[in-house]
Amino acid sequence: MLLPIENRRYANEITADDDGERVSIAGWVHEKRDLGGVLFLIIRDRAGYVQITLQKRRVEKELFEKAKKVPRESVVVIDGIVKSEKKAPNGYEIIPIPGHGRIEILSVALHNLPLDTTGKVGAELDTRLDARFMDVRTERTKHIFIIRSMVQRAIRDFLSERNFIEINTPKIVSSATEGGTALFPISYFEREAFLNQSPQLYKQMLIASGFDRVYEIAPIFRAEEHDTTKHLNEAASVDVEVAFVSDETVMKLLEELIAHVYSTVSLYPGLKSINVQLEVPKIPFKRLRYDEAIEIILDAGEQIEWGVDLSSSAERILGEAMGEHYFITDWPYTIKPFYVQFTGSKDKGKGKDTCDAFDLMHPRLELASGSQRVHSYELLKENIESKGLSVDSFEFYLNAFRYGMPPHAGWGLGIERLLMSMLELDNIREVVLFPRDRRRLVP
Ligand code: ATP
Ligand code: MG
């Protein structure tokens, strides 16, 4: 039977002004300091740290011994009297005096901890990910995930204030979004199915439904075999689609969203335990055409041909040249998916046809991709064929273009990319609780 934990309070809900009051706190034994005649327990809860002070002479023997023996990271509930104490964290300590004291051990931790939760002894990322439940007990990691939650809420607030409808599309699908091989096949009863690599086709279909502003925040699955610091096999994407607008309008929406997220997070006090100074990026972001990007890359001495996608080192060169967030626009038509709108005339005759696609770049990496979409059924069908894909497997999608489809534009933004770049973290796995990559399926 669970003991009553009356008046349980978080560390930050008690102050020195509560001097003399009886309180209950519940949490983990973060640290123990045994000075012989006096024993300090530092209890950690979600909000912070509380010092429990036990004077050997002044507390019941049994209680003192119990406190002395409790292993670090055990879960306890402690009752005592608040005493104002300048030297303690938050300016108070709790004293379990006789008659008003209680220390209950609700769960005993093993002695050999996989990690040091005080963060004094660092650990490799792999060790931390293997014991992620415990890694989140450290200040730095805890704040990363509180910030991730803030970011997702800020995105939802921003988009719902602008009258967007949040949608949910299937993650088990029958065909590829963009073709290609980067799909995880799964067995679906008697058939083969796949994990969705993007909600692209479904969000476009909802534009035909009349939901003229939609968004989804959901996982995307990419079966790419890369093992880099910026790719996951399961990532989270913010996908947006808007009807009756051009690509320029959704680029503006995207840069405003980024600025909104930064300014929300910049107010968060927990940022200091991640050691980052957050400056809200200035909007509008610079626009760089793909052909201008190629010039910059060539000038830096790196080989690149018009018509190829940018390598990581090309992205780095551009990042150094630009120094802040920027868009790359006017991409070669050949390297973008079939649903992207062909620009038509920028460089006709030289084989350098461009399309109305854009990427949002942070100086370190790509954050988002978007475009004006094709909304003509005939053109879309033609594009699917000319990219070597099967029209039959896109029938369900194409159908939505035959009964009234407005012009539309949209983008997909990687949440982990946004977080890792904003918080200046080296590895994308830092911002995922339980990352999925080439080597990691557990925990
Ligand atoms: P990259 O070229 O950087 O691998 P991409 O162009 O293949 O990315 P898109 O298909 O454009 O990715 O997906 C839209 C956004 O989703 C990307 O800009 C990125 O922020 C995010 N994203 C895509 N793939 C991954 C991945 N494997 N891991 C983490 N985020 C991803
Ligand atoms: Mg992209």
Side-chain angles (χ1 to χ4, degrees):
M1 198 188 76
L2 197 62
L3 289 151
I5 307 176
E6 315 108 43
N7 312 324
R8 179 189 155 215
R9 296 215 219 151
Y10 285 121
N12 64 349
E13 290 172 343
I14 306 171
T15 68
D17 292 342
D18 296 319
D19 193 282
E21 200 175 318
R22 187 191 159 154
V23 293
S24 256
I25 58 134
W28 287 255
V29 179
H30 186 66
E31 275 187 277
K32 275 198 328 180
R33 262 173 259 140
D34 186 356
L35 309 180
V38 52
L39 177 70
F40 297 108
L41 297 184
I42 306 295
I43 306 302
R44 183 188 68 246
D45 64 17
R46 174 177 151 172
Y49 303 87
V50 179
Q51 176 176 302
I52 313 297
T53 306
L54 296 130
Q55 303 269 4
K56 194 169 185 174
R57 294 178 290 112
R58 312 242 327 249
V59 296
E60 289 140 30
K61 186 155 183 263
E62 194 198 337
L63 196 111
F64 190 83
E65 289 305 313
K66 198 198 267 186
K68 200 170 153 172
K69 287 202 201 101
V70 62
R72 274 176 58 194
E73 294 304 320
S74 298
V75 173
V76 295
V77 53
I78 296 179
D79 292 0
I81 303 293
V82 178
K83 182 164 164 281
S84 152
E85 169 56 63
K86 287 206 175 63
K87 282 179 276 173
N90 313 323
Y92 70 88
E93 60 188 359
I94 291 177
I95 307 191
I97 59 165
H100 295 287
R102 153 165 94 138
I103 296 184
E104 293 296 340
I105 302 171
L106 303 181
S107 171
V108 183
L110 293 181
H111 278 281
N112 284 331
L113 303 174
L115 290 172
D116 172 25
T117 56
T118 66
K120 285 175 196 152
V121 184
E124 295 290 322
L125 182 58
D126 264 327
T127 310
R128 291 172 41 212
L129 293 176
D130 286 342
R132 191 56 133 174
F133 72 91
M134 185 161 270
D135 181 44
V136 179
R137 295 181 190 180
T138 64
E139 277 298 290
R140 180 176 173 276
T141 308
K142 174 180 87 174
H143 289 300
I144 289 175
F145 289 103
I146 293 174
I147 291 171
R148 184 175 169 135
S149 161
M150 287 173 73
V151 165
Q152 291 182 189
R153 184 161 40 195
I155 293 170
R156 286 200 162 88
D157 289 347
F158 176 92
L159 292 171
S160 61
E161 265 170 33
R162 280 157 188 77
N163 214 12
F164 277 78
I165 295 170
E166 183 170 8
I167 55 168
N168 302 93
T169 65
K171 303 305 152 212
I172 301 175
V173 297
S174 68
S175 65
T177 303
E178 309 182 7
T181 51
L183 288 169
F184 285 110
I186 56 169
S187 84
Y188 191 70
F189 306 108
E190 298 78 31
R191 279 183 289 170
E192 186 179 52
F194 304 94
L195 294 178
N196 202 9
Q197 76 187 106
S198 144
Q200 182 65 33
L201 307 184
Y202 290 94
K203 63 176 179 169
Q204 286 190 266
M205 285 158 69
L206 288 158
I207 289 296
S209 304
F211 286 174
D212 62 348
R213 295 169 154 242
V214 293
Y215 80 97
E216 176 165 19
I217 302 180
I220 55 171
F221 302 92
R222 306 277 168 116
E224 295 142 352
E225 292 186 0
H226 38 51
D227 193 1
T228 75
T229 54
K230 61 175 186 181
H231 288 97
L232 295 159
N233 293 111
E234 177 178 346
S237 169
V238 184
D239 267 88
V240 156
E241 208 62 33
V242 187
F244 304 108
V245 300
S246 70
D247 47 341
E248 182 54 42
T249 307
V250 294
M251 286 164 76
K252 222 166 143 261
L253 180 81
L254 179 53
E255 63 193 3
E256 282 170 8
L257 173 66
I258 301 289
H260 174 72
V261 166
Y262 269 73
S263 56
T264 307
V265 175
S266 69
L267 304 174
Y268 181 57
L271 267 183
K272 64 177 181 296
S273 51
I274 309 170
N275 233 334
V276 43
Q277 301 275 324
L278 213 61
E279 259 183 61
V280 181
K282 284 193 190 63
I283 54 171
F285 298 151
K286 283 187 196 144
R287 270 81 165 144
L288 188 69
R289 286 196 320 270
Y290 173 88
D291 59 358
E292 293 171 322
I294 296 293
E295 287 302 315
I296 294 173
I297 296 160
L298 288 172
D299 284 350
E302 172 122 342
Q303 275 310 309
I304 186 163
E305 270 173 52
W306 196 98
V308 301
D309 210 347
L310 304 179
S311 64
S312 293
S313 72
E315 285 181 359
R316 243 188 327 271
I317 291 168
L318 291 175
E320 266 167 41
M322 303 303 286
E324 53 194 6
H325 289 84
Y326 63 102
F327 283 107
I328 304 177
T329 64
D330 300 87
W331 284 80
Y333 179 66
T334 45
I335 54 171
K336 289 289 175 184
F338 62 80
Y339 50 79
V340 171
Q341 184 75 51
F342 179 54
T343 314
S345 61
K346 289 246 162 73
D347 205 1
K348 254 225 154 134
K350 294 187 200 157
K352 290 189 174 180
D353 293 324
T354 55
C355 59
D356 289 330
F358 59 85
D359 274 11
L360 172 64
M361 307 297 294
H362 176 274
R364 283 174 61 199
L365 46 84
E366 177 191 320
L367 297 182
S369 285
S371 70
Q372 184 79 44
R373 319 301 193 187
V374 175
H375 68 281
S376 142
Y377 169 78
E378 282 77 22
L379 189 54
L380 197 55
K381 195 170 160 215
E382 206 179 296
N383 287 356
I384 290 173
E385 276 166 352
S386 70
K387 296 255 181 196
L389 300 166
S390 134
V391 170
D392 284 350
S393 62
F394 289 99
E395 194 55 44
F396 72 95
Y397 162 72
L398 278 168
N399 226 6
F401 290 72
R402 302 173 90 170
Y403 304 95
M405 172 64 95
H408 56 287
W411 42 256
L413 164 70
I415 292 192
E416 291 89 0
R417 298 260 181 106
L418 172 60
L419 278 160
M420 81 179 278
S421 56
M422 181 168 67
L423 301 180
E424 295 170 23
L425 301 169
D426 292 335
N427 196 315
I428 196 165
R429 293 160 184 80
E430 290 272 5
V431 302
V432 187
L433 282 168
F434 301 104
R436 291 290 174 260
D437 65 27
R438 187 87 172 89
R439 292 171 300 118
R440 191 172 279 282
L441 189 54
V442 172

